[in-house]
Amino acid sequence: VVTLADGRSVRIRRIAPSDADALARAYDDLSWEAKVARFGSPPAELRGDPLSYLVSPDGVDHVAFVAETTGDPAAGIVGVGRILRYPDDPDSLDIGLTVADDIRGLGLGRVLAAALAVHRPRPARRLLTAVGRTNDAALRLLTEFGLPQRRTDDLVEVDLSG
Ligand SMILES: CC(C)(COP(=O)(O)OP(=O)(O)OC[C@H]1O[C@@H](n2cnc3c(N)ncnc32)[C@H](O)[C@@H]1OP(=O)(O)O)[C@@H](O)C(=O)NCCC(=O)NCCS
């Protein structure tokens, strides 16, 4: 359990298949801008196989945490962080971070990024992930893993081999 900058408490735990409905609702509640920043070409809704995949990581090559507020169970999932190997490039990891629009800037993204840095799949040489040019918050969070280097307009790399 961690305390955010506004004093509210948030519990961080591993995601589970039983989170499917709550995750679908959390996705519905996200702004379009956040969906695009996270998913690139976001689906209209999160259902079926893609949803099942997101709530059933193997815990080894695909690790994911959710954040939920402790005082208000109705608030449901307010943050998700995941990290996983690329199936076609097993030395590289991708990361996905999402924090509910109304509690951004309170430190939850950093907490999730720090948890992923500790529990990331190992071994792996690099983190390679899409971060838009103007997404400064996401770029700052990658410093939990090392020094982010921009490879292309969208792609950022962090060397994990050191
Ligand atoms: C990126 C995201 C996860 C950050 O979550 P958050 O809870 O707001 O992050 P934090 O409050 O921990 O802030 C992280 C850092 O970004 C900075 N930051 C936060 N909002 C910012 C903004 N709008 N502009 C610039 N910097 C910002 C914070 O100061 C902090 O930096 P510091 O720790 O070095 O001081 C959240 O904005 C989000 O869900 N965005 C949409 C999805 C997305 O872009 N995901 C990343 C790509 S996978």
Side-chain angles (χ1 to χ4, degrees), residues 34 37 96-99 104-110 135-138 140-141:
L97 287 160
T98 317
V99 168
R104 294 229 195 114
L106 300 179
L108 180 54
R110 189 161 287 284
N135 197 344
D136 292 334
R140 291 178 83 112
L141 292 180

Side-chain angles (χ1 to χ4, degrees), residues 13-101:
R13 60 168 174 79
R14 297 247 180 188
I15 204 166
S18 55
D19 290 316
D21 290 346
L23 186 65
R25 280 197 299 276
Y27 181 82
D28 288 343
D29 289 345
L30 273 183
S31 64
W32 181 250
E33 291 72 19
K35 289 175 182 170
V36 170
R38 167 63 183 86
F39 291 97
S41 303
E45 53 180 26
L46 214 45
R47 301 282 186 271
D49 288 346
L51 177 60
S52 301
Y53 170 76
L54 291 175
V55 296
S56 310
D58 64 13
V60 178
D61 291 324
H62 180 179
V63 171
F65 294 98
V66 289
E68 52 193 4
T69 53
T70 57
D72 178 10
I77 292 173
V78 294
V80 184
R82 73 179 62 245
I83 189 161
L84 64 159
R85 281 187 204 283
Y86 289 90
D88 56 350
D89 180 8
D91 255 346
S92 300
L93 305 179
D94 191 12
I95 186 173
L97 287 160
T98 317
V99 168
D101 293 84

Side-chain angles (χ1 to χ4, degrees), residues 84-160:
L84 64 159
R85 281 187 204 283
Y86 289 90
D88 56 350
D89 180 8
D91 255 346
S92 300
L93 305 179
D94 191 12
I95 186 173
L97 287 160
T98 317
V99 168
D101 293 84
D102 57 349
I103 65 161
R104 294 229 195 114
L106 300 179
L108 180 54
R110 189 161 287 284
V111 169
L112 288 167
L116 294 176
V118 170
H119 296 278
R120 70 178 186 253
R122 288 183 167 84
R125 282 175 188 273
R126 66 188 75 80
L127 189 68
L128 202 56
T129 196
V131 177
R133 277 263 168 211
T134 58
N135 197 344
D136 292 334
L139 205 55
R140 291 178 83 112
L141 292 180
L142 295 189
T143 59
E144 289 292 330
F145 295 83
L147 190 62
Q149 312 269 1
R150 193 161 279 284
R151 290 296 170 220
T152 67
D153 256 9
D154 281 334
L155 213 55
V156 170
E157 178 173 341
V158 183
D159 184 358
L160 301 175

